[in-house]
């Protein structure tokens, strides 16, 4: 098949190698960060939903679904990470710790690793109230 099934119309998608602005969930949802907005697209229904907009026009820099696909971590340019319940459409937690943009996020069960332009990697346990449980330093690049 040479014809695409769907063309992603993402007019404000930032062209930056160090950002992770799109993620696909195990629930078959696509999360896309456009400016300060996060959108969810379902290929089954072809429906686009606005999940959230960051306050004060905060720029988004990364996004990652949990393995079950019911929660979404959103990294920002200021270094914060918000954890969203996508079923309820609510932010359930904001985690701090980085002092520069969060360029990548990766889940392993309940653990979330975040890499930042500040050259640190933070490992966070979503079950605990602490912002992070491990801090890895010495990373030479973003």
């Amino acid at each position: 098949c040479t014809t695409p099934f769907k063309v992603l119309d993402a007019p404000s998608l930032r062209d930056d190698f160090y950002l992770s602005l799109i993620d696909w969930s195990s629930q078959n949802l696509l999360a896309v960060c456009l400016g300060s907005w996060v959108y969810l697209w379902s290929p089954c229904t072809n429906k686009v939903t606005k999940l959230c907009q960051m306050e004060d026009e905060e720029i988004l820099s990364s996004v990652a679904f949990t393995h079950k696909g019911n929660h979404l971590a959103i990294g920002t340019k200021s270094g914060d990470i918000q954890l969203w319940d996508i079923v309820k459409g609510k932010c359930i937690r904001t985690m701090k710790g980085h002092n520069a943009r969060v360029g990548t996020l990766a889940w392993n069960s309940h653990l979330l690793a975040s890499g930042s332009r500040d050259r640190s990697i933070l490992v966070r346990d979503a079950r605990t109230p602490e912002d992070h449980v491990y801090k890895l330093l010495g990373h030479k690049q973003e």
Side-chain angles (χ1 to χ4, degrees), residues 15-141:
D15 184 15
D16 188 329
F17 175 79
Y18 292 102
L19 304 182
S20 302
L21 300 175
I22 299 174
D23 196 35
W24 203 291
S25 80
S26 61
Q27 300 293 318
N28 204 20
L29 286 175
L30 183 70
V32 181
C33 298
L34 300 174
S36 61
W37 287 88
V38 176
Y39 295 89
L40 302 175
W41 173 66
S42 169
C44 298
T45 63
N46 206 29
K47 181 180 176 185
V48 175
T49 306
K50 290 180 184 177
L51 177 65
C52 63
Q53 181 182 24
M54 297 294 117
E55 293 180 11
D56 301 323
E57 301 285 321
E58 173 71 84
I59 301 296
L60 302 175
S61 55
S62 55
V63 64
F65 281 103
T66 58
H67 291 292
K68 291 183 180 180
N70 53 347
H71 291 93
L72 183 69
I74 302 169
T76 67
K77 185 178 177 183
S78 65
D80 293 342
I81 297 172
Q82 292 187 359
L83 185 57
W84 283 75
D85 181 324
I86 64 164
V87 175
K88 295 178 181 175
K90 295 192 185 259
C91 179
I92 55 176
R93 183 173 179 187
T94 299
M95 296 175 272
K96 303 208 178 276
H98 290 297
N99 57 26
R101 74 177 176 196
V102 178
T104 188
L105 297 164
W107 286 95
N108 183 6
S109 184
H110 55 273
L111 297 176
L112 174 65
S114 58
S116 172
R117 191 173 196 177
D118 67 9
R119 297 183 179 173
S120 69
I121 298 169
L122 300 180
V123 179
R124 304 151 187 281
D125 188 333
R127 302 169 302 176
T128 65
E130 291 83 18
D131 282 330
H132 60 276
V133 292
Y134 301 108
K135 185 171 188 171
L136 307 168
L137 300 173
H139 190 40
K140 301 294 182 208
Q141 295 180 341

